């Protein structure tokens, strides 16, 4: 009996271990030099399909609570900024400008913003109002969140979950206790709202974000002012947006360094404004 369990578990785990050895670079390096191999076991298509479903669920819940796109002027501002950022994503991924990018505004006091796989963006009114964000600062935050999607950080964390799930499956064979099943929508929800980004993910998003903003004609140094504002609010307990990577001197110094690196791109974009993309205007469920 024990030998049978051993071979069963081996058949489950050994192929997965082989896959773990496989890695990929999901984006080009850009001017800021992003270069890191990632373990990606979950397919890109699966993550994007899961994101589509998860995003609709979030929008439907917001609409039900009369919290979806309640400020047309602010929503237009967000989508205008996104329309300038989206074309710049080609610097990192050729296919990204053709994603079905969507931007929506959720009424909430929460200081938060995010971008699901495939370009599904949400900004909360709390982060805009509390920090009194300028267009440049919104571009800094939006570029940071878009970078998470471009770099497929959710897919990477979902793959890590897949490895953990395989371990639970093997354990359930031995114990008879079934672990929870994870579908793509649940994976996206978890990686967006529950599973924290690593410091490596945050640093990559910071650096890519300032380049996207600069290429779109937004001041890359605005990222510095955003985190300085955040830092003042997070002396006791960091807001949700900073829960895994609080603003500190190291982060601000890194942003200053990379903002200086991409400033020539910003000056060039100011002289020759890039052509904006079309952002989905009516994605309500």
């Amino acid at each position: 009996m024990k030998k049978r369990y051993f071979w069963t578990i081996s058949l489950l785990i050994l192929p997965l271990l082989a896959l773990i050895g496989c890695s990929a670079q999901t984006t080009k390096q850009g001017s800021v030099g992003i270069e890191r191999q990632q373990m990606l076991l979950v397919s890109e298509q699966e993550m994007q399909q899961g994101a589509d479903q998860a995003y609709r669920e979030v929008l439907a819940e917001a609409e039900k609570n009369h919290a979806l796109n309640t400020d047309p002027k602010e929503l237009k501002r967000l989508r205008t900024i996104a329309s300038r950022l989206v074309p710049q994503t080609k610097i990192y991924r050729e296919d990204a400008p053709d994603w079905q990018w969507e931007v929506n505004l959720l009424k909430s006091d929460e200081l938060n913003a995010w971008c699901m796989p495939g370009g599904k963006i949400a900004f909360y009114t709390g982060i805009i109002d509390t920090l009194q964000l300028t267009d440049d600062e919104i571009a800094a935050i939006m570029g940071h969140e878009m970078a998470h999607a471009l770099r497929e950080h959710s897919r990477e964390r979902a793959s890590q979950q897949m490895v953990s799930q395989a371990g639970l499956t093997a354990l359930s064979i031995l114990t008879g206790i079934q672990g929870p099943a994870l579908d793509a929508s649940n994976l996206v929800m978890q990686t967006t709202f529950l599973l924290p980004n690593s410091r490596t993910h945050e640093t990559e998003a910071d650096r890519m974000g300032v380049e996207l903003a600069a290429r779109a004609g937004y001041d890359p140094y605005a990222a510095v002012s955003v985190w300085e504002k955040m830092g003042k609010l997070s002396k006791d307990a960091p807001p949700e947006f900073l829960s895994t990577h609080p603003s500190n001197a190291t982060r601000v110094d890194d942003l200053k360094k990379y903002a200086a690196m991409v400033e020539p791109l910003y000056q060039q974009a100011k002289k020759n404004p890039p052509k904006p993309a079309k952002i989905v205007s009516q994605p309500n469920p």
Side-chain angles (χ1 to χ4, degrees):
M1 184 68 72
K2 289 183 178 179
K3 179 180 283 190
R4 181 166 66 84
Y5 279 143
F6 170 79
W7 285 112
T8 302
I9 292 171
S10 296
L11 289 172
L12 285 168
I13 298 299
L14 289 178
L16 188 55
L17 290 176
L19 285 172
I20 291 173
C22 300
S23 58
Q25 168 82 5
T26 64
T27 58
K28 297 177 184 178
Q29 294 184 27
S31 296
V32 294
I34 301 299
E35 185 176 11
R36 180 176 62 86
Q37 297 293 302
Q38 298 167 276
M39 179 183 70
L40 301 171
L41 305 181
V42 181
S43 73
E44 180 181 355
Q45 181 181 15
E46 188 175 10
M47 288 300 293
Q48 292 202 3
Q49 289 175 345
D52 288 342
Q53 181 180 342
Y55 194 63
R56 298 301 158 206
E57 291 174 1
V58 171
L59 295 188
E61 183 66 20
E63 187 173 50
K64 177 182 176 181
N65 296 324
H66 307 289
L68 178 63
N69 299 333
T70 58
D71 187 334
K73 182 178 179 180
E74 205 68 84
L75 178 64
K76 182 179 179 180
R77 182 160 76 121
L78 289 174
R79 288 178 173 167
T80 297
I81 293 169
S83 72
R84 288 170 55 177
L85 289 170
V86 166
Q88 314 316 315
T89 61
K90 66 183 178 183
I91 298 302
Y92 291 103
R93 295 183 57 130
E94 291 289 344
D95 64 327
D98 295 326
W99 289 356
Q100 294 298 308
W101 292 91
E102 298 182 22
V103 182
N104 286 280
L105 179 66
L106 305 182
K107 186 177 181 180
S108 169
D109 292 335
E110 203 174 328
L111 272 68
N112 205 3
W114 41 263
C115 181
M116 288 181 176
K120 308 305 182 186
I121 300 171
F123 259 72
Y124 292 23
T125 55
I127 196 169
I128 299 173
D129 298 339
T130 302
L131 298 184
Q132 298 182 336
L133 295 176
T134 65
D135 285 2
D136 290 311
E137 289 171 337
I138 288 177
I141 294 173
M142 192 177 292
H144 173 100
E145 296 305 321
M146 291 168 69
H148 281 307
L150 293 169
R151 196 74 176 109
E152 297 194 87
H153 288 153
S154 289
R155 185 180 169 199
E156 187 176 6
R157 284 178 290 146
S159 297
Q160 293 165 353
Q161 281 290 97
M162 186 176 178
V163 173
S164 299
Q165 188 68 35
L168 289 173
T169 300
L171 182 62
S172 70
I173 291 175
L174 288 174
T175 64
I177 300 173
Q178 296 297 318
L182 294 177
D183 61 26
S185 177
N186 283 334
L187 281 173
V188 172
M189 286 291 198
Q190 287 194 35
T191 54
T192 300
F193 301 112
L194 299 177
L195 300 177
N197 284 303
S198 68
R199 285 182 177 271
T200 297
H201 290 173
E202 289 295 327
T203 298
E204 288 178 346
D206 278 351
R207 295 173 182 180
M208 292 171 67
V210 294
E211 179 170 3
L212 291 172
R215 288 183 179 276
Y218 292 104
D219 187 353
Y221 285 98
V224 175
S225 64
V226 167
W227 298 115
E228 287 176 341
K229 288 181 179 181
M230 287 286 198
K232 293 177 182 178
L233 295 175
S234 61
K235 292 180 180 178
D236 298 321
E240 180 70 18
F241 196 71
L242 290 173
S243 60
T244 60
H245 197 164
S247 178
N248 52 41
T250 300
R251 185 174 201 173
V252 169
D253 287 346
D254 191 70
L255 283 167
K256 287 179 179 178
K257 174 183 175 181
Y258 282 86
M261 184 184 297
V262 300
E263 186 171 14
L265 299 174
Y266 167 55
Q267 297 300 336
Q268 182 180 351
K270 285 177 65 179
K271 293 179 182 178
N272 300 294
K275 183 178 179 181
K278 183 177 181 181
I279 302 298
V280 175
S281 59
Q282 295 295 332
N284 295 353

